[in-house]
Amino acid sequence: MKRIFTLVLLSFCFIHLGFTQNSNVIDPELYALMNSRSGDKISVNIILKENVDASSLNVRKAFYNEDAKRTYMVNELKTQSEKLQADVLKTLKAVERSSQVTDISCHWLTNMINCNASAEAIMKIAEHPDVEA
C-alpha cells in the first residue's frame, strides 16, 4: 500500500513540475481559456525571448533618400526577425500538419508570431526554449 501511495505521489509531483514549467510562459488567463474551451483553437500571440536588434543596423550608411533608408531598415529588421523566429516556426509547422495549429502569422517589428492553436499545441509551444510568453 505504501508503494502504491508513493508511486501516485511521485507521479503527481512529475505532472505538477511539467505544469509549473509552462506556467511561467503561459498567461493565467490563457490557461483559464484553454480549460473552458477544450477542443477549440484559441488565437495566441507567441512572444519570443530575443528581440530584433535595431541598434545593429548600419544607419550611417549613405542613402539616396529617406525611402531608401526606410527600405533598408525594414528589410534588415525582417531578416533578423526571420532568423530569430525560424526554430519556433519549424515547430509550429510540424504541429500545423496535425491540424492543431492554423493561420500562422509572423510579425517582424515586434518579433512575435500569432496563430490559432489547440490547448495541446499551446502546451507544446510553451516548452520551446525561444518562447518568452
Side-chain angles (χ1 to χ4, degrees):
M1 181 72 175
K2 285 183 179 182
R3 285 185 182 192
I4 293 173
F5 179 74
T6 304
L7 287 174
V8 170
L9 183 61
L10 285 174
S11 298
F12 178 76
C13 289
F14 285 120
I15 290 169
H16 182 69
L17 285 174
F19 180 78
T20 56
Q21 175 187 0
N22 292 338
S23 67
N24 295 334
V25 175
I26 299 176
D27 187 89
E29 289 180 33
L30 179 55
Y31 265 126
L33 193 58
M34 288 164 57
N35 289 330
S36 68
R37 293 177 55 188
S38 64
D40 292 341
K41 290 187 182 70
I42 303 166
S43 179
V44 293
N45 293 318
I46 303 164
I47 301 169
L48 302 178
K49 287 182 181 176
E50 209 170 329
N51 289 319
V52 175
D53 184 13
S55 67
S56 70
L57 300 178
N58 186 5
V59 291
R60 294 180 184 209
K61 183 177 172 180
F63 293 99
Y64 296 109
N65 57 35
E66 284 298 314
D67 286 340
K69 183 177 181 178
R70 179 187 177 282
T71 300
Y72 164 78
M73 292 182 69
V74 167
N75 289 337
E76 288 298 311
L77 292 172
K78 283 182 178 180
T79 300
Q80 282 186 28
S81 180
E82 286 172 5
K83 288 178 185 174
L84 293 172
Q85 295 175 2
D87 199 39
V88 175
L89 276 175
K90 191 167 127 180
T91 301
L92 284 171
K93 294 289 184 181
V95 178
E96 183 181 39
R97 287 191 283 276
S98 66
S99 299
Q100 292 182 11
V101 173
T102 59
D103 305 318
I104 299 170
S105 176
C106 299
H107 304 278
W108 58 270
L109 192 56
T110 56
N111 199 29
M112 178 177 70
I113 302 169
N114 179 269
C115 65
N116 295 321
S118 67
E120 184 180 330
I122 293 169
M123 295 299 286
K124 182 176 179 110
I125 295 162
E127 293 172 358
H128 196 285
D130 293 343
V131 174
E132 175 77 24

